PDB file of all heavy atoms in Angstrom:
ATOM      1  N   SER A 112     -88.239  18.244 -96.387  1.00 90.00           N
ATOM      2  CA  SER A 112     -89.463  18.930 -95.965  1.00 90.00           C
ATOM      3  C   SER A 112     -89.747  18.504 -94.536  1.00 90.00           C
ATOM      4  O   SER A 112     -89.943  17.301 -94.267  1.00 90.00           O
ATOM      5  CB  SER A 112     -90.633  18.566 -96.879  1.00 90.00           C
ATOM      6  OG  SER A 112     -90.365  18.966 -98.210  1.00 90.00           O
ATOM      7  N   VAL A 113     -89.769  19.465 -93.625  1.00 90.00           N
ATOM      8  CA  VAL A 113     -89.830  19.160 -92.196  1.00 90.00           C
ATOM      9  C   VAL A 113     -90.942  19.975 -91.553  1.00 90.00           C
ATOM     10  O   VAL A 113     -91.173  21.133 -91.922  1.00 90.00           O
ATOM     11  CB  VAL A 113     -88.477  19.471 -91.519  1.00 90.00           C
ATOM     12  CG1 VAL A 113     -88.563  19.240 -90.020  1.00 90.00           C
ATOM     13  CG2 VAL A 113     -87.370  18.614 -92.116  1.00 90.00           C
ATOM     14  N   VAL A 114     -91.606  19.352 -90.581  1.00 90.00           N
ATOM     15  CA  VAL A 114     -92.540  20.065 -89.716  1.00 90.00           C
ATOM     16  C   VAL A 114     -91.864  20.212 -88.369  1.00 90.00           C
ATOM     17  O   VAL A 114     -91.611  19.223 -87.673  1.00 90.00           O
ATOM     18  CB  VAL A 114     -93.877  19.309 -89.582  1.00 90.00           C
ATOM     19  CG1 VAL A 114     -94.779  20.032 -88.586  1.00 90.00           C
ATOM     20  CG2 VAL A 114     -94.550  19.175 -90.931  1.00 90.00           C
ATOM     21  N   ARG A 115     -91.548  21.498 -87.999  1.00 89.00           N
ATOM     22  CA  ARG A 115     -90.843  21.775 -86.753  1.00 89.00           C
ATOM     23  C   ARG A 115     -91.704  22.692 -85.894  1.00 89.00           C
ATOM     24  O   ARG A 115     -92.081  23.785 -86.344  1.00 89.00           O
ATOM     25  CB  ARG A 115     -89.497  22.417 -87.039  1.00 89.00           C
ATOM     26  CG  ARG A 115     -88.658  22.710 -85.800  1.00 89.00           C
ATOM     27  CD  ARG A 115     -87.319  23.291 -86.199  1.00 89.00           C
ATOM     28  NE  ARG A 115     -86.529  22.332 -86.957  1.00 89.00           N
ATOM     29  CZ  ARG A 115     -85.373  22.646 -87.587  1.00 89.00           C
ATOM     30  NH1 ARG A 115     -84.928  23.896 -87.545  1.00 89.00           N
ATOM     31  NH2 ARG A 115     -84.726  21.722 -88.254  1.00 89.00           N
ATOM     32  N   ASP A 116     -92.025  22.253 -84.697  1.00 86.00           N
ATOM     33  CA  ASP A 116     -92.889  23.020 -83.791  1.00 86.00           C
ATOM     34  C   ASP A 116     -94.212  23.385 -84.449  1.00 86.00           C
ATOM     35  O   ASP A 116     -94.747  24.486 -84.264  1.00 86.00           O
ATOM     36  CB  ASP A 116     -92.181  24.286 -83.317  1.00 86.00           C
ATOM     37  CG  ASP A 116     -90.924  23.990 -82.522  1.00 86.00           C
ATOM     38  OD1 ASP A 116     -90.899  22.921 -81.864  1.00 86.00           O
ATOM     39  OD2 ASP A 116     -89.972  24.784 -82.568  1.00 86.00           O
ATOM     40  N   GLY A 117     -94.739  22.477 -85.276  1.00 85.00           N
ATOM     41  CA  GLY A 117     -96.026  22.680 -85.913  1.00 85.00           C
ATOM     42  C   GLY A 117     -95.981  23.452 -87.211  1.00 85.00           C
ATOM     43  O   GLY A 117     -97.027  23.617 -87.861  1.00 85.00           O
ATOM     44  N   SER A 118     -94.812  23.930 -87.628  1.00 89.00           N
ATOM     45  CA  SER A 118     -94.715  24.737 -88.861  1.00 89.00           C
ATOM     46  C   SER A 118     -93.890  23.993 -89.898  1.00 89.00           C
ATOM     47  O   SER A 118     -92.795  23.499 -89.589  1.00 89.00           O
ATOM     48  CB  SER A 118     -94.057  26.087 -88.559  1.00 89.00           C
ATOM     49  OG  SER A 118     -94.800  26.794 -87.582  1.00 89.00           O
ATOM     50  N   PRO A 119     -94.391  23.906 -91.163  1.00 90.00           N
ATOM     51  CA  PRO A 119     -93.611  23.260 -92.215  1.00 90.00           C
ATOM     52  C   PRO A 119     -92.488  24.174 -92.692  1.00 90.00           C
ATOM     53  O   PRO A 119     -92.704  25.361 -92.944  1.00 90.00           O
ATOM     54  CB  PRO A 119     -94.642  23.006 -93.305  1.00 90.00           C
ATOM     55  CG  PRO A 119     -95.697  24.021 -93.085  1.00 90.00           C
ATOM     56  CD  PRO A 119     -95.728  24.316 -91.621  1.00 90.00           C
ATOM     57  N   ILE A 120     -91.291  23.585 -92.836  1.00 91.00           N
ATOM     58  CA  ILE A 120     -90.140  24.328 -93.334  1.00 91.00           C
ATOM     59  C   ILE A 120     -89.322  23.426 -94.237  1.00 91.00           C
ATOM     60  O   ILE A 120     -89.509  22.199 -94.255  1.00 91.00           O
ATOM     61  CB  ILE A 120     -89.269  24.859 -92.172  1.00 91.00           C
ATOM     62  CG1 ILE A 120     -88.745  23.674 -91.320  1.00 91.00           C
ATOM     63  CG2 ILE A 120     -90.026  25.862 -91.309  1.00 91.00           C
ATOM     64  CD1 ILE A 120     -87.759  24.099 -90.235  1.00 91.00           C
ATOM     65  N   GLU A 121     -88.394  24.041 -94.982  1.00 90.00           N
ATOM     66  CA  GLU A 121     -87.451  23.316 -95.819  1.00 90.00           C
ATOM     67  C   GLU A 121     -86.072  23.421 -95.184  1.00 90.00           C
ATOM     68  O   GLU A 121     -85.630  24.520 -94.804  1.00 90.00           O
ATOM     69  CB  GLU A 121     -87.416  23.898 -97.230  1.00 90.00           C
ATOM     70  CG  GLU A 121     -88.697  23.710 -98.005  1.00 90.00           C
ATOM     71  CD  GLU A 121     -88.945  22.259 -98.371  1.00 90.00           C
ATOM     72  OE1 GLU A 121     -87.952  21.530 -98.615  1.00 90.00           O
ATOM     73  OE2 GLU A 121     -90.115  21.840 -98.386  1.00 90.00           O
ATOM     74  N   VAL A 122     -85.398  22.285 -95.061  1.00 88.00           N
ATOM     75  CA  VAL A 122     -84.083  22.235 -94.424  1.00 88.00           C
ATOM     76  C   VAL A 122     -83.124  21.511 -95.357  1.00 88.00           C
ATOM     77  O   VAL A 122     -83.449  20.420 -95.852  1.00 88.00           O
ATOM     78  CB  VAL A 122     -84.144  21.518 -93.060  1.00 88.00           C
ATOM     79  CG1 VAL A 122     -82.753  21.425 -92.442  1.00 88.00           C
ATOM     80  CG2 VAL A 122     -85.093  22.219 -92.119  1.00 88.00           C
ATOM     81  N   ASN A 123     -81.975  22.126 -95.595  1.00 87.00           N
ATOM     82  CA  ASN A 123     -80.915  21.457 -96.344  1.00 87.00           C
ATOM     83  C   ASN A 123     -80.099  20.621 -95.358  1.00 87.00           C
ATOM     84  O   ASN A 123     -79.424  21.153 -94.463  1.00 87.00           O
ATOM     85  CB  ASN A 123     -80.017  22.475 -97.042  1.00 87.00           C
ATOM     86  CG  ASN A 123     -80.713  23.137 -98.213  1.00 87.00           C
ATOM     87  OD1 ASN A 123     -81.487  22.497 -98.921  1.00 87.00           O
ATOM     88  ND2 ASN A 123     -80.456  24.432 -98.425  1.00 87.00           N
ATOM     89  N   VAL A 124     -80.194  19.324 -95.534  1.00 84.00           N
ATOM     90  CA  VAL A 124     -79.568  18.387 -94.602  1.00 84.00           C
ATOM     91  C   VAL A 124     -78.222  17.948 -95.153  1.00 84.00           C
ATOM     92  O   VAL A 124     -78.134  17.495 -96.316  1.00 84.00           O
ATOM     93  CB  VAL A 124     -80.469  17.174 -94.349  1.00 84.00           C
ATOM     94  CG1 VAL A 124     -79.777  16.171 -93.430  1.00 84.00           C
ATOM     95  CG2 VAL A 124     -81.796  17.611 -93.743  1.00 84.00           C
ATOM     96  N   GLU A 125     -77.194  18.082 -94.325  1.00 79.00           N
ATOM     97  CA  GLU A 125     -75.855  17.678 -94.707  1.00 79.00           C
ATOM     98  C   GLU A 125     -75.668  16.184 -94.428  1.00 79.00           C
ATOM     99  O   GLU A 125     -76.030  15.688 -93.363  1.00 79.00           O
ATOM    100  CB  GLU A 125     -74.812  18.483 -93.922  1.00 79.00           C
ATOM    101  CG  GLU A 125     -74.896  19.980 -94.134  1.00 79.00           C
ATOM    102  CD  GLU A 125     -74.536  20.362 -95.553  1.00 79.00           C
ATOM    103  OE1 GLU A 125     -73.769  19.624 -96.191  1.00 79.00           O
ATOM    104  OE2 GLU A 125     -75.043  21.397 -96.031  1.00 79.00           O
ATOM    105  N   ALA A 126     -75.135  15.464 -95.412  1.00 76.00           N
ATOM    106  CA  ALA A 126     -74.877  14.035 -95.263  1.00 76.00           C
ATOM    107  C   ALA A 126     -73.564  13.803 -94.530  1.00 76.00           C
ATOM    108  O   ALA A 126     -72.652  14.638 -94.588  1.00 76.00           O
ATOM    109  CB  ALA A 126     -74.859  13.347 -96.624  1.00 76.00           C
ATOM    110  N   GLY A 127     -73.447  12.695 -93.851  1.00 74.00           N
ATOM    111  CA  GLY A 127     -72.223  12.366 -93.131  1.00 74.00           C
ATOM    112  C   GLY A 127     -72.152  10.870 -92.868  1.00 74.00           C
ATOM    113  O   GLY A 127     -72.854  10.062 -93.483  1.00 74.00           O
ATOM    114  N   ARG A 128     -71.264  10.515 -91.916  1.00 74.00           N
ATOM    115  CA  ARG A 128     -71.082   9.116 -91.552  1.00 74.00           C
ATOM    116  C   ARG A 128     -71.653   8.857 -90.147  1.00 74.00           C
ATOM    117  O   ARG A 128     -71.677   9.756 -89.298  1.00 74.00           O
ATOM    118  CB  ARG A 128     -69.597   8.753 -91.550  1.00 74.00           C
ATOM    119  CG  ARG A 128     -68.924   8.940 -92.892  1.00 74.00           C
ATOM    120  CD  ARG A 128     -69.373   7.899 -93.897  1.00 74.00           C
ATOM    121  NE  ARG A 128     -68.689   8.056 -95.178  1.00 74.00           N
ATOM    122  CZ  ARG A 128     -68.927   7.310 -96.243  1.00 74.00           C
ATOM    123  NH1 ARG A 128     -69.859   6.358 -96.177  1.00 74.00           N
ATOM    124  NH2 ARG A 128     -68.261   7.510 -97.359  1.00 74.00           N
ATOM    125  N   VAL A 129     -72.082   7.632 -89.930  1.00 72.00           N
ATOM    126  CA  VAL A 129     -72.623   7.230 -88.627  1.00 72.00           C
ATOM    127  C   VAL A 129     -71.482   6.740 -87.747  1.00 72.00           C
ATOM    128  O   VAL A 129     -70.591   6.013 -88.213  1.00 72.00           O
ATOM    129  CB  VAL A 129     -73.689   6.132 -88.789  1.00 72.00           C
ATOM    130  CG1 VAL A 129     -74.186   5.664 -87.425  1.00 72.00           C
ATOM    131  CG2 VAL A 129     -74.839   6.630 -89.632  1.00 72.00           C
ATOM    132  N   ASP A 130     -71.495   7.146 -86.498  1.00 72.00           N
ATOM    133  CA  ASP A 130     -70.515   6.642 -85.534  1.00 72.00           C
ATOM    134  C   ASP A 130     -70.963   5.250 -85.074  1.00 72.00           C
ATOM    135  O   ASP A 130     -71.583   5.073 -84.025  1.00 72.00           O
ATOM    136  CB  ASP A 130     -70.405   7.603 -84.348  1.00 72.00           C
ATOM    137  CG  ASP A 130     -69.230   7.249 -83.439  1.00 72.00           C
ATOM    138  OD1 ASP A 130     -68.576   6.222 -83.697  1.00 72.00           O
ATOM    139  OD2 ASP A 130     -68.986   7.999 -82.475  1.00 72.00           O
ATOM    140  N   VAL A 131     -70.646   4.269 -85.929  1.00 76.00           N
ATOM    141  CA  VAL A 131     -71.087   2.892 -85.646  1.00 76.00           C
ATOM    142  C   VAL A 131     -70.447   2.363 -84.369  1.00 76.00           C
ATOM    143  O   VAL A 131     -71.087   1.680 -83.564  1.00 76.00           O
ATOM    144  CB  VAL A 131     -70.764   1.982 -86.844  1.00 76.00           C
ATOM    145  CG1 VAL A 131     -71.103   0.529 -86.525  1.00 76.00           C
ATOM    146  CG2 VAL A 131     -71.516   2.440 -88.073  1.00 76.00           C
ATOM    147  N   GLY A 132     -69.178   2.678 -84.158  1.00 75.00           N
ATOM    148  CA  GLY A 132     -68.494   2.175 -82.962  1.00 75.00           C
ATOM    149  C   GLY A 132     -69.162   2.612 -81.686  1.00 75.00           C
ATOM    150  O   GLY A 132     -69.298   1.839 -80.733  1.00 75.00           O
ATOM    151  N   LYS A 133     -69.629   3.852 -81.634  1.00 75.00           N
ATOM    152  CA  LYS A 133     -70.300   4.350 -80.440  1.00 75.00           C
ATOM    153  C   LYS A 133     -71.612   3.600 -80.189  1.00 75.00           C
ATOM    154  O   LYS A 133     -71.924   3.209 -79.055  1.00 75.00           O
ATOM    155  CB  LYS A 133     -70.554   5.846 -80.591  1.00 75.00           C
ATOM    156  CG  LYS A 133     -71.281   6.468 -79.418  1.00 75.00           C
ATOM    157  CD  LYS A 133     -71.523   7.945 -79.651  1.00 75.00           C
ATOM    158  CE  LYS A 133     -72.301   8.554 -78.490  1.00 75.00           C
ATOM    159  NZ  LYS A 133     -72.588   9.995 -78.717  1.00 75.00           N
ATOM    160  N   ALA A 134     -72.377   3.405 -81.275  1.00 73.00           N
ATOM    161  CA  ALA A 134     -73.661   2.711 -81.120  1.00 73.00           C
ATOM    162  C   ALA A 134     -73.470   1.275 -80.648  1.00 73.00           C
ATOM    163  O   ALA A 134     -74.225   0.772 -79.805  1.00 73.00           O
ATOM    164  CB  ALA A 134     -74.431   2.749 -82.438  1.00 73.00           C
ATOM    165  N   LEU A 135     -72.450   0.608 -81.182  1.00 76.00           N
ATOM    166  CA  LEU A 135     -72.212  -0.784 -80.785  1.00 76.00           C
ATOM    167  C   LEU A 135     -71.592  -0.876 -79.401  1.00 76.00           C
ATOM    168  O   LEU A 135     -71.844  -1.840 -78.669  1.00 76.00           O
ATOM    169  CB  LEU A 135     -71.313  -1.469 -81.816  1.00 76.00           C
ATOM    170  CG  LEU A 135     -71.878  -1.567 -83.240  1.00 76.00           C
ATOM    171  CD1 LEU A 135     -70.919  -2.327 -84.137  1.00 76.00           C
ATOM    172  CD2 LEU A 135     -73.242  -2.230 -83.237  1.00 76.00           C
ATOM    173  N   LEU A 136     -70.767   0.109 -79.044  1.00 78.00           N
ATOM    174  CA  LEU A 136     -70.130   0.073 -77.735  1.00 78.00           C
ATOM    175  C   LEU A 136     -71.160   0.216 -76.620  1.00 78.00           C
ATOM    176  O   LEU A 136     -71.051  -0.418 -75.565  1.00 78.00           O
ATOM    177  CB  LEU A 136     -69.080   1.180 -77.637  1.00 78.00           C
ATOM    178  CG  LEU A 136     -68.237   1.186 -76.356  1.00 78.00           C
ATOM    179  CD1 LEU A 136     -67.439  -0.108 -76.241  1.00 78.00           C
ATOM    180  CD2 LEU A 136     -67.305   2.389 -76.342  1.00 78.00           C
ATOM    181  N   VAL A 137     -72.168   1.047 -76.831  1.00 78.00           N
ATOM    182  CA  VAL A 137     -73.208   1.218 -75.819  1.00 78.00           C
ATOM    183  C   VAL A 137     -73.956  -0.090 -75.575  1.00 78.00           C
ATOM    184  O   VAL A 137     -74.353  -0.399 -74.449  1.00 78.00           O
ATOM    185  CB  VAL A 137     -74.174   2.344 -76.238  1.00 78.00           C
ATOM    186  CG1 VAL A 137     -75.365   2.407 -75.295  1.00 78.00           C
ATOM    187  CG2 VAL A 137     -73.450   3.676 -76.263  1.00 78.00           C
ATOM    188  N   ASN A 138     -74.139  -0.881 -76.623  1.00 79.00           N
ATOM    189  CA  ASN A 138     -74.907  -2.137 -76.532  1.00 79.00           C
ATOM    190  C   ASN A 138     -73.996  -3.359 -76.661  1.00 79.00           C
ATOM    191  O   ASN A 138     -74.384  -4.375 -77.241  1.00 79.00           O
ATOM    192  CB  ASN A 138     -75.978  -2.163 -77.627  1.00 79.00           C
ATOM    193  CG  ASN A 138     -76.953  -1.017 -77.523  1.00 79.00           C
ATOM    194  OD1 ASN A 138     -77.850  -1.018 -76.697  1.00 79.00           O
ATOM    195  ND2 ASN A 138     -76.780  -0.011 -78.377  1.00 79.00           N
ATOM    196  N   TRP A 139     -72.812  -3.269 -76.080  1.00 80.00           N
ATOM    197  CA  TRP A 139     -71.828  -4.338 -76.252  1.00 80.00           C
ATOM    198  C   TRP A 139     -72.312  -5.682 -75.705  1.00 80.00           C
ATOM    199  O   TRP A 139     -72.055  -6.738 -76.285  1.00 80.00           O
ATOM    200  CB  TRP A 139     -70.522  -3.946 -75.571  1.00 80.00           C
ATOM    201  CG  TRP A 139     -70.649  -3.773 -74.083  1.00 80.00           C
ATOM    202  CD1 TRP A 139     -70.968  -2.644 -73.418  1.00 80.00           C
ATOM    203  CD2 TRP A 139     -70.463  -4.788 -73.086  1.00 80.00           C
ATOM    204  NE1 TRP A 139     -71.017  -2.851 -72.060  1.00 80.00           N
ATOM    205  CE2 TRP A 139     -70.691  -4.171 -71.819  1.00 80.00           C
ATOM    206  CE3 TRP A 139     -70.120  -6.131 -73.120  1.00 80.00           C
ATOM    207  CZ2 TRP A 139     -70.600  -4.863 -70.627  1.00 80.00           C
ATOM    208  CZ3 TRP A 139     -70.020  -6.823 -71.929  1.00 80.00           C
ATOM    209  CH2 TRP A 139     -70.263  -6.211 -70.694  1.00 80.00           C
ATOM    210  N   SER A 140     -73.025  -5.664 -74.568  1.00 79.00           N
ATOM    211  CA  SER A 140     -73.442  -6.937 -73.978  1.00 79.00           C
ATOM    212  C   SER A 140     -74.493  -7.639 -74.837  1.00 79.00           C
ATOM    213  O   SER A 140     -74.543  -8.880 -74.892  1.00 79.00           O
ATOM    214  CB  SER A 140     -73.986  -6.714 -72.569  1.00 79.00           C
ATOM    215  OG  SER A 140     -75.190  -5.957 -72.593  1.00 79.00           O
ATOM    216  N   VAL A 141     -75.348  -6.854 -75.498  1.00 82.00           N
ATOM    217  CA  VAL A 141     -76.334  -7.457 -76.400  1.00 82.00           C
ATOM    218  C   VAL A 141     -75.638  -8.137 -77.565  1.00 82.00           C
ATOM    219  O   VAL A 141     -76.030  -9.224 -78.008  1.00 82.00           O
ATOM    220  CB  VAL A 141     -77.328  -6.388 -76.886  1.00 82.00           C
ATOM    221  CG1 VAL A 141     -78.325  -6.992 -77.860  1.00 82.00           C
ATOM    222  CG2 VAL A 141     -78.044  -5.753 -75.709  1.00 82.00           C
ATOM    223  N   LEU A 142     -74.573  -7.498 -78.080  1.00 83.00           N
ATOM    224  CA  LEU A 142     -73.808  -8.113 -79.163  1.00 83.00           C
ATOM    225  C   LEU A 142     -73.112  -9.385 -78.679  1.00 83.00           C
ATOM    226  O   LEU A 142     -73.068 -10.392 -79.398  1.00 83.00           O
ATOM    227  CB  LEU A 142     -72.776  -7.116 -79.699  1.00 83.00           C
ATOM    228  CG  LEU A 142     -73.338  -5.884 -80.408  1.00 83.00           C
ATOM    229  CD1 LEU A 142     -72.212  -4.941 -80.795  1.00 83.00           C
ATOM    230  CD2 LEU A 142     -74.127  -6.289 -81.648  1.00 83.00           C
ATOM    231  N   VAL A 143     -72.578  -9.344 -77.461  1.00 82.00           N
ATOM    232  CA  VAL A 143     -71.943 -10.550 -76.913  1.00 82.00           C
ATOM    233  C   VAL A 143     -72.968 -11.670 -76.790  1.00 82.00           C
ATOM    234  O   VAL A 143     -72.700 -12.837 -77.155  1.00 82.00           O
ATOM    235  CB  VAL A 143     -71.308 -10.239 -75.543  1.00 82.00           C
ATOM    236  CG1 VAL A 143     -70.855 -11.524 -74.852  1.00 82.00           C
ATOM    237  CG2 VAL A 143     -70.137  -9.290 -75.709  1.00 82.00           C
ATOM    238  N   PHE A 144     -74.150 -11.343 -76.279  1.00 82.00           N
ATOM    239  CA  PHE A 144     -75.204 -12.355 -76.160  1.00 82.00           C
ATOM    240  C   PHE A 144     -75.572 -12.925 -77.527  1.00 82.00           C
ATOM    241  O   PHE A 144     -75.746 -14.146 -77.679  1.00 82.00           O
ATOM    242  CB  PHE A 144     -76.438 -11.735 -75.503  1.00 82.00           C
ATOM    243  CG  PHE A 144     -77.652 -12.616 -75.544  1.00 82.00           C
ATOM    244  CD1 PHE A 144     -77.787 -13.686 -74.680  1.00 82.00           C
ATOM    245  CD2 PHE A 144     -78.660 -12.395 -76.472  1.00 82.00           C
ATOM    246  CE1 PHE A 144     -78.902 -14.512 -74.727  1.00 82.00           C
ATOM    247  CE2 PHE A 144     -79.778 -13.212 -76.533  1.00 82.00           C
ATOM    248  CZ  PHE A 144     -79.901 -14.271 -75.652  1.00 82.00           C
TER     249      PHE A 144
END
Side-chain angles (χ1 to χ4, degrees):
S112 299
V113 176
V114 176
R115 182 178 296 171
D116 298 330
S118 301
I120 60 174
E121 293 291 327
V122 178
N123 288 324
V124 177
E125 300 293 333
R128 300 289 182 182
V129 177
D130 190 356
V131 175
K133 179 181 178 182
L135 298 183
L136 185 62
V137 172
N138 300 283
W139 63 271
S140 66
V141 178
L142 293 176
V143 170
F144 170 77

